[in-house]
Amino acid sequence: MQTHNQAAPGALELVRRFLNTWSIPNQTRVEVDNLPVLARDADKWREELSLHPRAESDTLERLSELRSDLRKSCEGLDDDHQLLNAWLARVALSVKAVAAEGGAPGLCVTSADTSYVASILALVANAISSGTWSRLKTCDDCRWAFYDHTRNGSKRWCGMTKGGVDGRACGTIAKVSAFRARAAAKKSPITDGG
Ligand SMILES: [Zn+2]
């Protein structure tokens, strides 16, 4: 079923929000980084990203590096998971078997380290374990992070209608461009001599 809901299930939504602290708004198409503003304001940080307050180790540089590497993973640019593994090796995570859906054992990853970076990585590890990480995607067009709720996991754009979040219409824009390209090709003077 087509849904315009972009939110990720459970706490994974916090990771999605973190990824979207960097965005390219439709209106301007100019990159915006909200992280410095959020990092300066503890209230805004809690409101937007909750989870944990920033620890001393959560420097802007570290946060922005994590965001960029997690984005690469979502964009399929970290195929061998080297970036992800490097991050997972940097924080102390512990793994516990828990009863998951249907009583089958699942994994629960927690972190004793209460830094924001470690908490985000624990959420990512849990998402990988539960199979939801691959559904956190970035729009082919504007790179906005969204959760793919479609049955076959085929969603490529953040929103298909102008009524979507922030009035984005990337899928529509892409389809119009493809239509125009096809129309232009048809009008092209190159014929097969007929
Ligand atoms: Zn988009």
Side-chain angles (χ1 to χ4, degrees):
M1 199 183 99
Q2 183 83 35
T3 169
H4 297 306
N5 176 24
Q6 304 185 341
L12 186 58
E13 173 63 5
L14 295 172
V15 180
R16 191 182 76 93
R17 280 195 227 159
F18 172 61
L19 295 184
N20 281 334
T21 55
W22 181 92
S23 66
I24 307 175
N26 239 7
Q27 298 84 343
T28 58
R29 294 268 159 177
V30 176
E31 295 176 21
V32 177
D33 187 355
N34 276 327
L35 206 48
V37 176
L38 292 171
R40 270 199 303 271
D41 188 326
D43 287 338
K44 271 194 187 140
W45 180 273
R46 200 176 322 116
E47 211 173 288
E48 290 284 322
L49 307 169
S50 54
L51 211 59
H52 285 283
R54 264 180 79 204
E56 212 156 299
S57 63
D58 295 320
T59 60
L60 253 187
E61 201 184 355
R62 197 160 190 247
L63 289 166
S64 120
E65 198 192 330
L66 173 67
R67 183 182 59 188
S68 155
D69 287 349
L70 290 180
R71 278 188 155 272
K72 281 180 189 145
S73 174
C74 293
E75 286 167 6
L77 300 174
D78 184 26
D79 276 347
D80 50 6
H81 312 300
Q82 253 188 47
L83 295 172
L84 211 49
N85 280 329
W87 279 102
L88 292 169
R90 273 182 236 179
V91 289
L93 298 175
S94 52
V95 182
K96 219 168 58 176
V98 291
E101 222 172 304
L107 289 180
C108 177
V109 182
T110 51
S111 170
D113 175 347
T114 55
S115 71
Y116 185 79
V117 166
S119 323
I120 284 284
L121 286 165
L123 292 180
V124 171
N126 280 316
I128 292 171
S129 155
S130 65
T132 51
W133 181 245
S134 57
R135 284 184 170 260
L136 192 60
K137 301 178 174 179
T138 55
C139 176
D140 272 6
D141 189 357
C142 72
R143 300 179 66 194
W144 180 258
F146 65 91
Y147 189 82
D148 185 352
H149 289 274
T150 61
R151 192 187 290 262
N152 58 1
S154 61
K155 204 165 173 226
R156 291 172 53 197
W157 293 290
C158 59
M160 294 300 286
T161 62
K162 254 207 146 46
V165 172
D166 292 342
R168 289 172 187 282
C170 292
T172 313
I173 293 165
K175 281 187 176 168
V176 168
S177 311
F179 174 79
R180 285 199 183 134
R182 279 197 303 273
K186 264 188 206 161
K187 269 190 213 155
S188 137
I190 302 162
T191 63
D192 53 8

